[in-house]
Amino acid sequence: MGRNKLVMKKIEDPISRQQFYSKRKDTILKKSNELAVLCDTDVALLMFSPAGQVTIYSSKESVEDIMVRAMNKSVNQRLILNPNEQLLMQSLTQSKSEGQMAHGKKLNELKETLREAQQKIRYYKPQVENISSVQEADAYAQFLRSNMEQIQQSKAKLLGVQGFLQRNEYPAVNTEDTAAAGTSRGWKF
Amino acid sequence: MGRNKLVMKKIEDPISRQQFYSKRKDTILKKSNELAVLCDTDVALLMFSPAGQVTIYSSKESVEDIMVRAMNKSVNQRLILNPNEQLLMQSLTQSKSEGQMAHGKKLNELKETLREAQQKIRYYKPQVENISSVQEADAYAQFLRSNMEQIQQSKAKLLGVQGFLQRNEYPAVNTEDTAAAGTSRGWKF
DNA sequence: CCGCCTATCTATAAGAC
DNA sequence: TGTCTTATAGATAGGCG
């Protein structure tokens, strides 16, 4: 917000980064509290400042209790793509074909798009509580991974930025951990 | 935001409550992710929907790892009031004297003010990680509690709403648990 | 129930001091 | 460095379909 649009990329200047953190932290705390109060639900929030200082928020129960309860819940819920996730899936699928006709785009512009997609993926990473079996987890992982690979490949081919894509910025989906732990957490994007 | 200002009170209509939750949840997730990305820090977020469905977010590490790290950190940090907390302290102290000259205010208006103060207190509850000793915890608790009691009393006296104040909406600060657990978590407001 | 629209309310990035 | 101001991006309550 404010004068310029926010760029979803790490703030390199340490001073600015700390200032940004301080402001945003308070807002997120406030909004989390609003959610907890207006909906009378449990919310837990843990944040580390760039300097390493911790901020802990919990609405009613303790953070530990909320976490334990959340972890127990999560294994009993099913895989359902929420509207935002559906939107992501859609845009991911789209951009694959878009890539075919993007020859005119500038390199920087596409790099930007790619980076934004990475951020989207982080933000929209699967709601782990919605997966009830290893099979579903695997299926979902496959779906996401294949989509991402296709996008990566098509963009890389178009732009010749294979190196950019190989810097482990899309860590592979780790289905092993998921299966072994018996939970759906552990997805890495 | 939106057409009307938000009232910090539980939404009684279950449908509206669920709708509110869904929208706000996404925003908080988005903002948490922005914070994690722009500041390159760890953030963990757990939310229960009114229906009991869990939403879990973590930026880099797993929620468990973040929590463990946060809990370890928290016992080593000192008591420092952040700007917002200072502001709260200030407004709490102020409103005490304001109460003396509020005779002209309408009852509902003051009830609203009181309720908002309660919400503020929930929001601004002490950052538990900033307390390093039982002595500090006790001192802080005393400070907060005495302020709150004074406000409650003066307002109750002015308004004749003692009953309103006795519905356990300000659960007492529990210094026993704090001391026994050897941590600063467990503050109840 | 889900999403879209839009008037309004918030949060804020930059600046100014 | 901290705070206040301003212009602008974002979030969203209430409606509508």
Side-chain angles (χ1 to χ4, degrees):
Chain A
M1 305 168 180
R3 304 305 181 84
N4 291 321
K5 189 182 172 187
L6 184 66
V7 181
M8 274 297 272
K9 183 185 177 184
K10 176 178 176 180
I11 298 168
E12 294 302 336
D13 176 42
I15 308 294
S16 303
R17 196 181 332 131
Q18 178 63 48
Q19 288 176 343
F20 180 90
Y21 176 86
S22 301
K23 278 192 174 183
R24 293 308 197 85
K25 166 177 70 77
D26 291 338
T27 304
I28 294 173
L29 272 174
K30 183 182 171 189
K31 284 189 175 288
S32 298
N33 187 58
E34 285 177 355
L35 188 74
V37 172
L38 292 238
C39 297
D40 190 32
T41 59
D42 280 314
V43 175
L45 178 59
L46 305 173
M47 296 178 284
F48 282 82
S49 81
Q53 188 179 81
V54 182
T55 295
I56 302 175
Y57 167 85
S58 62
S59 52
K60 293 188 293 189
E61 300 181 48
S62 72
V63 180
E64 296 95 322
D65 293 341
I66 292 176
M67 203 194 80
V68 169
R69 203 149 57 80
M71 291 306 171
N72 286 334
K73 265 278 178 188
S74 71
V75 296
N76 295 319
Q77 297 185 5
R78 307 206 72 263
L79 171 72
I80 297 170
L81 295 183
N82 66 35
N84 281 328
E85 289 166 343
Q86 292 173 23
L87 222 61
L88 176 64
M89 288 306 98
Q90 198 178 315
S91 68
L92 285 176
T93 311
Q94 274 179 212
S95 47
K96 183 177 58 170
S97 44
E98 274 175 16
Q100 302 303 323
M101 40 184 169
H103 295 278
K105 281 191 178 182
K106 290 171 301 197
L107 177 64
N108 285 338
E109 188 179 341
L110 279 166
K111 273 187 177 176
E112 178 68 9
T113 304
L114 183 57
R115 207 175 42 58
E116 282 176 3
Q118 292 175 350
Q119 299 304 162
K120 277 189 188 174
I121 287 161
R122 273 186 72 171
Y123 167 40
Y124 287 120
K125 71 181 171 184
Q127 299 220 298
V128 296
E129 70 280 10
N130 287 334
I131 298 172
S132 65
S133 74
V134 175
Q135 288 71 34
E136 283 181 346
D138 283 344
Y140 194 21
Q142 282 300 321
F143 176 56
L144 284 175
R145 180 153 49 180
S146 75
N147 268 294
M148 283 197 294
E149 282 174 357
Q150 289 174 340
I151 296 165
Q152 289 178 45
Q153 286 173 10
S154 66
K155 293 213 171 180
K157 192 174 292 184
L158 276 169
L159 302 169
V161 290
Q162 289 85 346
F164 181 71
L165 289 170
Q166 285 160 9
R167 288 171 204 160
N168 196 30
E169 297 184 289
Y170 273 138
V173 175
N174 187 339
T175 54
E176 301 311 304
D177 284 353
T178 304
T183 78
S184 50
R185 199 194 41 64
W187 293 65
K188 308 292 183 191
F189 284 99
Chain B
M1 307 168 176
R3 303 306 180 82
N4 291 319
K5 190 183 170 187
L6 184 65
V7 181
M8 273 298 270
K9 184 186 177 184
K10 176 179 175 181
I11 298 168
E12 294 302 337
D13 176 42
I15 309 294
S16 303
R17 195 181 333 133
Q18 178 62 49
Q19 288 175 344
F20 180 90
Y21 176 86
S22 299
K23 277 192 174 182
R24 293 308 198 89
K25 167 178 69 76
D26 291 338
T27 304
I28 295 172
L29 272 174
K30 183 183 169 189
K31 282 189 174 291
S32 298
N33 186 59
E34 285 177 356
L35 188 73
V37 171
L38 293 237
C39 298
D40 190 31
T41 59
D42 279 314
V43 175
L45 179 59
L46 306 173
M47 295 178 283
F48 281 82
S49 83
Q53 188 180 84
V54 183
T55 296
I56 303 174
Y57 167 84
S58 63
S59 52
K60 294 189 293 188
E61 300 181 49
S62 72
V63 180
E64 296 94 321
D65 292 341
I66 292 176
M67 204 195 78
V68 169
R69 203 148 56 80
M71 290 306 169
N72 286 335
K73 265 277 178 187
S74 71
V75 297
N76 295 319
Q77 297 185 4
R78 306 207 73 263
L79 172 71
I80 297 170
L81 295 183
N82 66 36
N84 280 326
E85 289 166 343
Q86 290 173 23
L87 220 62
L88 176 64
M89 290 305 98
Q90 199 179 316
S91 70
L92 285 176
T93 310
Q94 274 180 209
S95 47
K96 183 176 58 171
S97 46
E98 276 175 10
Q100 303 303 323
M101 40 182 170
H103 295 279
K105 281 192 179 181
K106 291 170 300 195
L107 175 64
N108 286 336
E109 189 180 341
L110 279 167
K111 273 187 176 174
E112 178 67 12
T113 304
L114 182 58
R115 210 175 40 57
E116 281 176 3
Q118 293 174 349
Q119 299 306 161
K120 276 189 188 173
I121 286 161
R122 274 186 72 172
Y123 166 40
Y124 289 118
K125 71 181 171 185
Q127 299 220 299
V128 296
E129 70 280 8
N130 286 335
I131 297 170
S132 65
S133 74
V134 176
Q135 288 70 35
E136 282 180 346
D138 283 343
Y140 194 22
Q142 283 300 320
F143 176 62
L144 284 175
R145 180 152 51 181
S146 76
N147 267 294
M148 284 196 293
E149 282 174 358
Q150 289 175 341
I151 296 164
Q152 288 178 48
Q153 286 173 8
S154 67
K155 294 213 169 178
K157 193 175 291 184
L158 277 170
L159 301 170
V161 290
Q162 289 84 348
F164 181 75
L165 288 170
Q166 285 159 10
R167 290 173 203 157
N168 195 31
E169 298 184 289
Y170 275 138
V173 174
N174 187 339
T175 54
E176 300 313 302
D177 284 351
T178 302
T183 77
S184 50
R185 199 193 42 63
W187 292 67
K188 308 293 181 189
F189 283 101

